[in-house]
Amino acid sequence: MRSCAGPTGHPGLHVAATCVALTGATLPRNPLEPSGAAAGLATVEGGVVVVGGVETGVPRGAVVEAVAAVEGAVTWEWAPPAEIGAELEHAPSSAHERRPVATTRVRRRDSGTDAHHSRGALAPVVVGFAAVMMLLLASCGGSHPASAPHRITRVAPSTTSTVPSAIATTVPTTVATTVPTTVPPTVPIKTTTPPPTAPHPVTPTTAPPLLVTRLVGVGSATQVIAVSASSYGQTVATLTAFQEDATGWRQVFGPWQADIGYAGFAPPGQKREGDGRTPSGSFGFAFFFGVLADPGVQFPFRPITGSNIVWDDDPSSPLYNQWVDTTVSNAGTAPEPMDVSAYDYGAVIAYNMSPTVPGAGSAIFLHVSDGGPTVGCVSLPTSELLAVLRWLSPAAQPRIIMGTAATIAP
């Protein structure tokens, strides 16, 4: 479908008694532009449009919608309505109808203001005039015969149809299109790692003092063997060895299990010959002996050469509580034989020797254990016994302190 005046300037087309809407073409601008502000409407009076004294050809039977002249410009636009489906014909009936029609867009001129307006800026004006034109152009419905020429004359403005001369035409054309392109950096999730839990301060526990520091009867000794039982009557005791040096006392051996008399410990001063008890108290060492060869001890060592070596345990004998070689001396009644496995290695505990008290007890040794209680001595397994015998030194004035725990370390 083409407009009444073609955009190329060819003669316009028309359909008799059909209304054409003004929308896509603009009438020639120069003849219609008055020098000042113009306002008014166009009427149909015979086929021409008269604006400011200038006539412009209009196809017969067409309807013209006049647009108010705003601040010095008169603009005319038309186009066939969408519903027109009939074939358009050339209308050569008037020389004015073949006048080229300009296709320029709406233009607005005024002094000191914007040089151009968009088509959308005039939309309010067109709508305003459309309402008024409906009254004037009622004849476009086909009531006028096609042969009756009509003439359009300019109508003076009236109070009922005057279009306001000042129309707000400023339309914001700038659309904020700036889209932030910078993606905010990923905010790292800060994971707070709790600081390592400081270990609870451990209150240094003061180690209990060594048993040797509480023993009774240490004297000037720098080597001490402690043999203690939990109570009287116990046949098993604990043996621990200590030595003192420049840094103080230190534990050397034990705690080891030791066997004592079959009747346990005797209270201090109550040991008696043949009672099966081990004496309590602090004692030194006289000499070492053994059925076997000297194992490398520091004390004087006496070998047991045979059955002739005995220990005199007769309280009435002048050699009571002594080592006796029967090939040289006479021992008392029923001396104790030394040529036995329990005495493979041993040390003489200097009990009841200086002075010797008849009947107070005799033959108190530290010797090899046979796996059971003794008749009054202290015994250890061979390996442990040898370690102790080799460690003991006469220069250290060693002491062996024996008895119940409450007796030797009150």
Side-chain angles (χ1 to χ4, degrees):
M1 184 181 297
R2 294 188 298 171
S3 66
C4 292
T8 60
H10 292 82
L13 303 179
H14 78 281
V15 176
T18 301
C19 180
V20 179
L22 183 79
T23 177
T26 304
L27 290 175
R29 201 168 44 235
N30 293 338
L32 299 180
E33 293 185 26
S35 60
L41 302 174
T43 60
V44 179
E45 292 185 358
V48 295
V49 176
V50 179
V51 178
V54 180
E55 294 183 358
T56 301
V58 179
R60 183 179 291 109
V63 177
V64 177
E65 179 180 346
V67 180
V70 180
E71 297 179 0
V74 175
T75 302
W76 303 81
E77 294 187 1
W78 55 39
E83 64 270 16
I84 296 176
E87 180 181 357
L88 299 179
E89 299 178 355
H90 291 286
S93 61
S94 173
H96 295 289
E97 294 174 357
R98 295 188 295 272
R99 188 174 300 172
V101 179
T103 59
T104 58
R105 295 177 63 86
V106 176
R107 189 178 68 165
R108 170 175 174 253
R109 289 200 309 268
D110 56 2
S111 57
T113 60
D114 295 341
H116 297 279
H117 275 294
S118 65
R119 182 186 302 266
L122 292 178
V125 177
V126 175
V127 173
F129 274 100
V132 177
M133 288 298 296
M134 291 296 294
L135 298 176
L136 299 177
L137 305 180
S139 61
C140 72
S143 59
H144 297 284
S147 61
H150 293 281
R151 184 179 185 85
I152 300 175
T153 58
R154 184 176 179 181
V155 181
S158 65
T159 57
T160 61
S161 60
T162 302
V163 177
S165 61
I167 299 175
T169 59
T170 302
V171 177
T173 59
T174 302
V175 179
T177 58
T178 303
V179 177
T181 58
T182 303
V183 178
T186 302
V187 178
I189 300 175
K190 184 177 181 181
T191 57
T192 303
T193 303
T197 304
H200 294 290
V202 178
T203 303
T205 57
T206 303
L210 292 175
L211 175 62
V212 67
T213 62
R214 299 183 287 114
L215 292 175
V216 176
V218 172
S220 60
T222 56
Q223 289 181 331
V224 173
I225 298 174
V227 182
S228 65
S230 58
S231 62
Y232 292 110
Q234 296 292 321
T235 62
V236 175
T238 300
L239 183 148
T240 311
F242 304 92
Q243 181 163 343
E244 185 181 35
D245 54 24
T247 61
W249 287 100
R250 60 187 177 89
Q251 187 170 310
V252 179
F253 301 118
W256 293 333
Q257 179 178 309
D259 294 320
I260 58 176
Y262 61 84
F265 280 117
Q270 297 184 23
K271 166 62 181 171
R272 294 295 180 264
E273 188 66 41
D275 62 6
R277 297 185 297 180
T278 302
S280 297
S282 177
F283 313 103
F285 295 94
F287 57 91
F288 295 173
F289 59 86
V291 173
L292 302 178
D294 182 352
V297 297
Q298 303 178 59
F299 269 80
F301 183 81
R302 295 183 184 181
I304 300 174
T305 58
S307 58
N308 59 309
I309 304 298
V310 296
W311 197 267
D312 189 342
D313 56 8
D314 182 357
S316 62
S317 170
L319 299 177
Y320 177 67
N321 198 26
Q322 293 182 32
W323 168 288
V324 175
D325 183 352
T326 59
T327 62
V328 176
S329 303
N330 291 324
T333 303
E336 181 178 348
M338 300 289 290
D339 188 14
V340 293
S341 60
Y343 296 152
D344 284 346
Y345 303 104
V348 176
I349 296 174
Y351 167 74
N352 194 25
M353 286 187 172
S354 294
T356 300
V357 176
S362 65
I364 305 300
F365 308 136
L366 174 61
H367 62 78
V368 176
S369 174
D370 61 4
T374 68
V375 293
C377 297
V378 178
S379 66
L380 286 171
T382 302
S383 60
E384 294 174 359
L385 176 64
L386 286 175
V388 172
L389 295 180
R390 290 168 178 155
W391 166 68
L392 290 171
S393 169
Q397 304 176 40
R399 306 290 290 184
I400 183 168
I401 302 174
M402 304 183 295
T404 63
T407 301
I408 64 176

